[in-house]
Structure formats: C-alpha cells, structure tokens
Amino acid sequence: MPAPRGAPAPAAVLARPAPPGEIRVEPGPFTDRVQLTALTLVPTGKPGVTGHLVITSDVSDVLSLDLRAA
C-alpha cells in the first residue's frame, strides 16, 4: 500500500457525561434553529425530562428531533 498523503484525522472527542440530575443540551446541526425552555427533571419513579421546544427559524418547517438520555 502507498503511504498516506496527509495527516490522519484527529481522534474523536466526546463530551464528558452530565452528572446525575443535570439536564444538558448538546450542540448539533439544528441547535440554532430551536429554543428549549423549562427543562425539568420528572420527579417520578421513572427518569424523564419535560420542557418546551419552539422552532425559531423559518428555514425548516420540519426538524428531526433526536433525544438521548443517559
């Protein structure tokens, strides 16, 4: 095989996990097009988060919403 022509890509950098009880919004490709407010942990036996999401940009009528909980 021939030698690579350029430097290798940098290793992936992962965000540090949020501590228990913290709600965090990670930046993504559409983060600037939505506004998340009133994010609150659900005080029931099952873990969960409630809040409000508003699309703030007229560029996209429909956005794909990807939620992850850890």
Side-chain angles (χ1 to χ4, degrees), residues 40-52:
T40 308
L41 290 174
V42 176
T44 62
K46 283 186 151 181
V49 175
T50 63
H52 301 279

Side-chain angles (χ1 to χ4, degrees), residues 44-68:
T44 62
K46 283 186 151 181
V49 175
T50 63
H52 301 279
L53 176 120
V54 176
I55 297 175
T56 58
S57 170
D58 61 353
V59 175
S60 301
D61 291 333
V62 178
L63 291 175
S64 174
L65 182 61
D66 180 16
L67 302 174
R68 295 181 198 166

